Amino acid sequence: AWALMTTPSEKQTRPLRPWTYGPAFFDTLARVQGIKRDKIIEVIVHVLTGRDAELASRELHQLRTGAGGDDAPVSRRGGETCWRVSLQVGTPSARRLHYWQRNDGSIELSSIRLHDDFRP
């Protein structure tokens, strides 16, 4: 997907960051309904290339412990923060991708959740 989505001139400036997946990722991916796998892969490529921070449609922000803007960001030991990016916009129960920005600069794909689900 990265090779198809990235132009030849961008290949040097938009490499895939090192990544892994957490223990819940594939279970949540298998259970998610109402979204095509191609879309999920597209957004994962956006995350792994840093493009998610540039695209308003991804609605990138830190995952919070609740629905309020004043709720604390979700973090884990060592200070790593969980981020949330939109897979869908304007859809009932819109799907979200949650991922950890690790201290070493890599990404850990955490889960696919519905809009109102704040679990990492």
Side-chain angles (χ1 to χ4, degrees):
W2 171 81
L4 294 173
M5 293 172 56
T6 308
T7 65
S9 63
E10 292 177 317
K11 297 251 190 277
Q12 293 295 317
T13 59
R14 292 207 182 272
L16 290 175
R17 287 188 274 181
W19 65 279
T20 188
Y21 54 87
F25 181 72
F26 286 108
D27 287 340
T28 60
L29 176 62
R31 286 194 307 266
V32 71
Q33 303 278 324
I35 187 166
K36 293 181 179 184
R37 296 298 183 258
D38 291 352
K39 183 62 173 186
I40 295 170
I41 292 168
E42 173 187 322
V43 175
I44 289 172
V45 170
H46 288 162
V47 167
L48 297 179
T49 60
R51 191 168 269 154
D52 60 331
E54 300 168 4
L55 298 172
S57 62
R58 293 293 140 247
E59 300 178 330
L60 174 67
H61 61 281
Q62 289 182 326
L63 179 64
R64 300 202 169 273
T65 55
D70 292 335
D71 290 326
V74 174
S75 61
R76 63 185 179 186
R77 187 178 16 204
E80 295 177 340
T81 304
C82 194
W83 290 82
R84 180 177 194 163
V85 64
S86 295
L87 296 167
Q88 298 171 310
V89 177
T91 302
S93 298
R95 281 69 178 170
R96 302 291 188 251
L97 169 66
H98 295 173
Y99 68 89
W100 293 97
Q101 175 65 54
R102 300 182 64 184
N103 292 333
D104 64 4
S106 68
I107 298 294
E108 179 184 317
L109 303 174
S110 182
S111 63
I112 308 284
R113 305 284 185 191
L114 297 180
H115 179 271
D116 293 332
D117 188 339
F118 300 101
R119 294 174 290 169

